[in-house]
Amino acid sequence: LIMAKIVTWIIVLAVLIVGGLAIFGGKDANSSVIKIGFIGPLTGDAVAYGESESRAIQIAIQELNAAGGIDGKQFELISEDAKCDPQIGGTAAQKLVNIDGVKVIIGGACSGETLAAAEVTESARVILISPSASSPKITNAGDFLFRTYPSDALAGKIAAKYALETLGVKKVALITELTDYGQALREVFKEAITNGGGEVVADETYASGDADFRTQILKVKESKPDVVYIVPQTPTPGLALLKQGKENGIKVPFMTGEVLLDRQVVKENAALLEGLIGVETGVDWEGNPKAKAFAEAHQAKFGTEPGTFAANAYDAVYLIADAIRAHGLDTEKIRDWLYAVENWQGTVGAITMDENGDPLLGENIRKIVKGEVTDLGVVTP
């Protein structure tokens, strides 16, 4: 009887240990699966690019699994909706790391949720790689944090240079959202305009969730700028800004970042976005075989063309897959492998990581003409 009780307690203890390891990530309960987390806005105002990235990741994982995975292990995607909200982003990272036991997370899509998630992943020594977070703050936010999209430190300078040298403007007005992304671009753009001999004649901001911008627009109009630079976090306020600006008689060109260049947004709002000039990472959809194949796969599966964020998300999956193929799920070795990436060929072109985990990529100047996102030229670092 005593021996039977001892055996029973040994079995119970073993079950508790194994269960605990599975719950807290000490050991993957299913060794035939490689778990990949995703954090991004799957609902809310930013869903356009969160959904875009999610679809691209799904395609990449399906392709990898169809090819046999890695050493016979299949990839499993675990997605969390963070709504571009920093607090939710941090909670999502906690769940993926501590409950799901993932070693690699792709995301967030927005800078705020990425910075919040990094506070979790850094201490857990989990890889976090964002396809679209562009705040300069991310550059120094962690040793396990990477991205496949360039910093706003580059995009803001390129936008300012184009405004000054190509458009020939002297006076610039800004309307930007009070988010990490919006304010990062604001600061870089303002500094570059001033250093280039231009003048910032209006500098207006608004809170996330605002829908009435008449006060800011009136001040901008009264400042008589040559160009208006707007930086919304998501398409919804950006579209409202343009609509209200044009309704209130602002006739000078509008410039922006990449958010309003989303192809679906452009398709649905062609007339409103006509003439808008923006900056985004360029993708050679016809000349780059990888980009062309991805675009065809995306069209076949979802019936739409992918955008820049999707291309960066797709590349993030394949970068991680190559790192895992070389080093398994040893996150310190994956980290070192990523830092050493040089001229890695992806859909967005040749990616080289700098010493901070930022990619060295070109930026394209775009202009929306008759519902099409046209290319005005590429600027490389």
Side-chain angles (χ1 to χ4, degrees):
L1 182 61
I2 294 175
M3 183 59 69
K5 288 183 177 180
I6 291 174
V7 171
T8 299
W9 277 109
I10 290 174
I11 293 173
V12 171
L13 183 60
V15 170
L16 289 172
I17 291 172
V18 172
L21 287 171
I23 291 173
F24 293 104
K27 181 177 176 61
D28 193 334
N30 185 352
S31 61
S32 66
V33 170
I34 299 172
K35 295 179 180 179
I36 299 291
F38 171 66
I39 295 174
L42 299 177
T43 58
D45 287 345
V47 68
Y49 43 93
E51 184 179 74
S52 174
E53 293 174 11
S54 175
R55 288 177 170 181
I57 293 167
Q58 291 174 47
I59 291 172
I61 286 179
Q62 287 173 359
E63 290 173 350
L64 287 164
N65 285 342
I70 294 178
D71 295 330
K73 296 181 179 180
Q74 296 280 288
F75 285 88
E76 177 186 333
L77 179 63
I78 305 174
S79 298
E80 295 295 326
D81 179 10
K83 305 179 188 295
C84 274
D85 183 296
Q87 184 174 352
I88 301 175
T91 301
Q94 289 278 8
K95 188 260 184 184
L96 288 170
V97 171
N98 296 321
I99 303 300
D100 299 308
V102 303
K103 298 299 182 183
V104 175
I105 299 173
I106 298 174
C110 303
S111 295
E113 65 186 7
T114 302
L115 289 165
E119 294 181 9
V120 177
T121 56
E122 194 65 21
S123 59
R125 306 181 82 77
V126 166
I127 298 294
L128 181 65
I129 181 167
S130 173
S132 54
S134 53
S135 169
K137 294 180 181 179
I138 290 171
T139 296
N140 298 308
D143 199 31
F144 288 79
L145 175 59
F146 298 84
R147 52 182 162 184
T148 55
Y149 200 87
S151 168
D152 290 329
L154 174 64
K157 290 177 183 177
I158 289 174
K161 182 178 181 180
Y162 185 83
L164 292 169
E165 297 181 4
T166 303
L167 298 181
V169 306
K170 297 295 183 183
K171 299 188 296 181
V172 175
L174 296 88
I175 307 178
T176 57
E177 189 164 339
L178 291 169
T179 61
D180 288 311
Y181 167 73
Q183 295 314 294
L185 269 178
R186 168 179 170 261
E187 291 300 326
V188 172
F189 184 82
K190 279 178 59 180
E191 182 180 1
I193 287 290
T194 302
N195 290 344
E199 179 186 1
V200 176
V201 295
D203 183 11
E204 297 297 311
T205 60
Y206 65 91
S208 299
D210 285 356
D212 186 346
F213 307 105
R214 286 174 294 183
T215 299
Q216 293 94 329
I217 288 168
L218 178 61
K219 292 180 180 179
V220 165
K221 184 179 178 180
E222 290 176 345
S223 72
K224 298 181 179 180
D226 300 318
V227 69
V228 180
Y229 184 62
I230 63 171
V231 187
Q233 178 73 50
T234 60
T236 300
L239 294 169
L241 268 170
L242 286 172
K243 183 174 187 294
Q244 292 174 31
K246 292 180 178 181
E247 287 175 346
N248 284 276
I250 295 180
K251 299 185 183 301
V252 299
F254 282 84
M255 293 187 68
T256 189
E258 60 274 275
V259 170
L260 291 174
L261 298 181
D262 179 87
R263 290 353 184 226
Q264 191 63 32
V265 172
V266 172
K267 182 179 179 181
E268 295 172 355
N269 302 274
L272 178 60
L273 294 173
E274 179 69 19
L276 180 69
I277 297 170
V279 178
E280 68 175 3
T281 299
V283 180
D284 185 356
W285 294 108
E286 290 299 324
N288 182 338
K290 286 191 175 181
K292 186 174 183 179
F294 167 55
E296 290 172 351
H298 195 282
Q299 183 70 42
K301 184 172 180 62
F302 297 108
T304 60
E305 297 178 358
T308 300
F309 289 168
N312 281 275
Y314 184 82
D315 284 349
V317 176
Y318 273 97
L319 269 170
I320 290 301
D322 283 355
I324 293 174
R325 191 173 287 112
H327 299 293
L329 283 171
D330 185 325
T331 58
E332 292 190 6
K333 289 183 178 179
I334 292 175
R335 173 199 62 189
D336 295 343
W337 186 93
L338 288 170
Y339 276 124
V341 165
E342 184 174 356
N343 290 324
W344 184 90
Q345 298 298 315
T347 62
V348 299
I351 295 177
T352 293
M353 291 290 183
D354 70 9
E355 67 276 10
N356 297 305
D358 287 341
L360 301 177
L361 290 169
E363 294 270 12
N364 282 59
I365 305 294
R366 308 289 199 187
K367 185 176 183 178
I368 298 174
V369 180
K370 297 180 180 179
E372 297 293 330
V373 181
T374 64
D375 188 17
L376 301 181
V378 64
V379 178
T380 55

